[in-house]
Amino acid sequence: KAGVTQTPRYLIKTRGQQVTLSCSPISGHRSVSWYQQTPGQGLQFLFEYFSETQRNKGNFPGRFSGRQFSNSRSEMNVSTLELGDSALYLCASRGLNTEAFFGQGTRLTVV
Amino acid sequence: AQKITQTQPGMFVQEKEAVTLDCTYDTSDPSYGLFWYKQPSSGEMIFLIYQGSYDQQNATEGRYSLNFQKARKSANLVISASQLGDSAMYFCAMREGTSGTYKYIFGTGTRLKVLA
């Protein structure tokens, strides 16, 4: 069974640009959640999608948005990038009563 | 207030010895789940072990066991017979909410270094 796949693995963007990250969950998993990990703030919850609907949202500005498609794949978008957005972005998928399985993350560097 | 507290930023352990990584949590929800994840330098979070709030026995998974003390709100991870490959960041996490609206809260992590 394939794991959670995140693309791209590494990304370098300049301030003011926007970026879209992709996450393909484990087959059959309908829940996808996103996390931002930085050395200073640790792992912080961004949002969770379940069956194309956002179910939970963390405390992040509106520049951070996401969506989920009918095949459960999810994308996360960050607009007007700031230096502080540099982080490892982790996606996790979950079945109905399973633990969260994480992808390898996308390491975003904003310069 | 921190909902998940890991008080050990870093730990050293000799190869083949056991090590305990501390985790305390805070919740008023009677139904919750506690998890431990390992994050090697590659970045991927690897699930290790799960303990449900209603589970009567401590969870075990191979060399990993969870010392669950509900009254103290602690969920310490015990790694027996440490191996060099155990060197990584370890995160304690709590799942709150109901199915479909789960939210995971992570601690700040403990960096474990296994010495040869």
Side-chain angles (χ1 to χ4, degrees):
Chain A
K1 205 176 191 180
V4 179
T5 305
Q6 290 188 247
T7 55
R9 289 290 312 279
Y10 302 93
L11 208 47
I12 300 175
K13 290 284 189 178
T14 56
R15 277 180 298 176
Q17 285 188 313
Q18 74 160 18
V19 67
T20 299
L21 312 181
S22 178
C23 172
S24 293
I26 290 172
S27 178
H29 286 188
R30 293 161 65 187
S31 168
V32 174
S33 51
W34 289 88
Y35 296 82
Q36 182 197 63
Q37 186 179 23
T38 59
Q41 299 294 322
L43 263 158
Q44 291 189 288
F45 171 76
L46 280 155
F47 27 65
E48 179 182 18
Y49 286 86
F50 182 83
S51 293
E52 302 178 67
T53 302
Q54 188 180 89
R55 290 296 187 103
N56 258 316
K57 191 176 191 312
N59 191 24
F60 277 82
R63 299 185 297 107
F64 292 81
S65 63
R67 59 178 176 169
Q68 187 180 32
F69 302 96
S70 58
N71 62 357
S72 293
R73 190 177 72 84
S74 177
E75 287 182 347
M76 191 193 95
N77 186 75
V78 187
S79 62
T80 321
L81 283 165
E82 301 176 359
L83 295 179
D85 297 333
S86 295
L88 178 68
Y89 290 87
L90 289 162
C91 161
S93 82
R94 187 171 56 78
L96 200 54
N97 288 307
T98 71
E99 65 274 15
F101 292 87
F102 285 81
Q104 288 190 293
T106 294
R107 193 168 294 278
L108 171 67
T109 303
V110 182
V111 297
Chain B
Q2 287 283 356
K3 286 206 162 189
I4 293 283
T5 303
Q6 294 180 255
T7 57
Q8 307 151 315
M11 290 277 286
F12 289 95
V13 65
Q14 206 66 38
E15 194 179 9
K16 299 179 186 175
E17 291 187 350
V19 63
T20 298
L21 307 184
D22 294 341
C23 173
T24 58
Y25 60 92
D26 183 28
T27 182
S28 56
D29 194 336
S31 177
Y32 54 90
L34 297 160
F35 300 78
W36 278 91
Y37 285 88
K38 171 185 176 182
Q39 187 179 43
S41 55
S42 60
E44 184 178 1
M45 299 281 279
I46 301 167
F47 166 75
L48 295 178
I49 197 166
Y50 165 77
Q51 180 86 42
S53 58
Y54 295 118
D55 293 343
Q56 295 295 315
Q57 293 189 320
N58 287 344
T60 59
E61 288 284 349
R63 294 186 299 110
Y64 305 106
S65 61
L66 200 152
N67 184 3
F68 182 44
Q69 297 188 43
K70 196 170 183 177
R72 292 186 178 184
K73 294 190 174 179
S74 75
N76 299 340
L77 175 71
V78 180
I79 306 174
S80 62
S82 297
Q83 301 171 355
L84 295 178
D86 294 335
S87 295
M89 280 290 285
Y90 288 81
F91 290 92
C92 178
M94 179 171 64
R95 182 186 68 199
E96 288 185 315
T98 56
S99 182
T101 63
Y102 284 140
K103 189 173 178 179
Y104 284 74
I105 303 159
F106 285 80
T108 51
T110 295
R111 184 172 297 280
L112 178 67
K113 176 71 176 174
V114 180
L115 305 172

